[in-house]
Amino acid sequence: AHHVSAIVIQAQAGRTLAASSPQTAVDVLAVIEAEASRTLDEMRSMVGALRRDTDTPLTPQQGIADIGRLAETARSTIAVQVRVDGDLSALEPVVDAAAYRIAQESVTNAIRHACNATRVDIHVVAADGGVQLSVVDDGEHSGAAGIGGYGLIGMTERAKLLGGTLEAGRLPGRGWRISAELPGQRVAP
């Protein structure tokens, strides 16, 4: 984090100096390059330490096309129905992966926390260059409505980091709904 902060500060300084002192701006770029290389080395070292003594599969990130598999993994405990409408092929990979992770966490929450739930309906729709995701279960839910548990907080943060939104809450009577809207491309903060 320290190195990334230094990179940001140096980049801001370089941009300020570019017009009045081009050589100084070039020097700043060299510092940025060195800091970025150091940061990458440290990140690779950390990831290597985390992976040590494990056979981590190097498979592609799961996305919307994989949401149907959630029905297979939950089959013994709850019926999962998936419907995908529209062309979602232009989504940035990080958005595609986020949609999958939100659906996955929603199904996991339904299995763990929805009493007497029999089904979960997942509906994914291409909308305005992005994606709308709705996950609804038919279980009984106790506790406060809205964003509360770590899973829900994580889903909300994931959507927000991409420039999207996520809402969660009890439905009248029975059931719980997670509704997310994500842009097709990550929105800069």
Side-chain angles (χ1 to χ4, degrees):
H2 169 75
H3 293 299
V4 173
S5 296
I7 291 168
V8 170
I9 292 167
Q10 291 291 332
Q12 291 168 339
R15 190 180 326 156
T16 301
L17 294 170
S20 62
S21 179
Q23 184 54 48
T24 305
V26 170
D27 295 341
V28 168
L29 287 173
V31 171
I32 290 172
E33 181 181 15
E35 287 293 321
S37 294
R38 228 174 288 147
T39 303
L40 281 173
D41 289 341
E42 288 180 13
M43 288 176 58
R44 287 183 185 117
S45 175
M46 284 190 297
V47 169
L50 293 171
R51 288 189 175 165
R52 201 167 282 143
D53 298 329
T54 63
D55 292 330
T56 304
L58 299 175
T59 58
Q61 186 100 10
Q62 293 174 311
I64 292 171
D66 301 300
I67 288 177
R69 291 188 197 145
L70 295 174
E72 297 168 13
T73 60
R75 187 169 300 165
S76 63
T77 55
I78 196 166
V80 177
Q81 301 294 317
V82 179
R83 190 171 113 209
V84 179
D85 294 323
D87 180 14
L88 296 161
S89 62
L91 294 179
E92 185 174 347
V94 69
V95 174
D96 190 38
Y100 174 83
R101 293 289 180 218
I102 291 169
Q104 181 183 42
E105 181 68 24
S106 297
V107 171
T108 299
N109 284 350
I111 291 169
R112 289 184 183 164
H113 305 295
C115 296
N116 302 315
T118 60
R119 69 180 289 136
V120 174
D121 294 311
I122 302 172
H123 188 196
V124 183
V125 180
D128 299 325
V131 60
Q132 293 177 344
L133 172 69
S134 173
V135 183
V136 179
D137 72 60
D138 66 351
E140 298 168 11
H141 294 268
S142 61
I147 305 298
Y150 291 118
L152 293 172
I153 292 169
M155 287 188 285
T156 302
E157 289 172 348
R158 186 180 299 268
K160 188 183 269 187
L161 283 171
L162 296 172
T165 61
L166 185 132
E167 296 178 0
R170 271 187 264 144
L171 296 172
R174 287 176 58 117
W176 185 271
R177 177 191 326 259
I178 302 283
S179 298
E181 292 191 25
L182 305 174
Q185 305 292 315
R186 181 178 5 194
V187 176

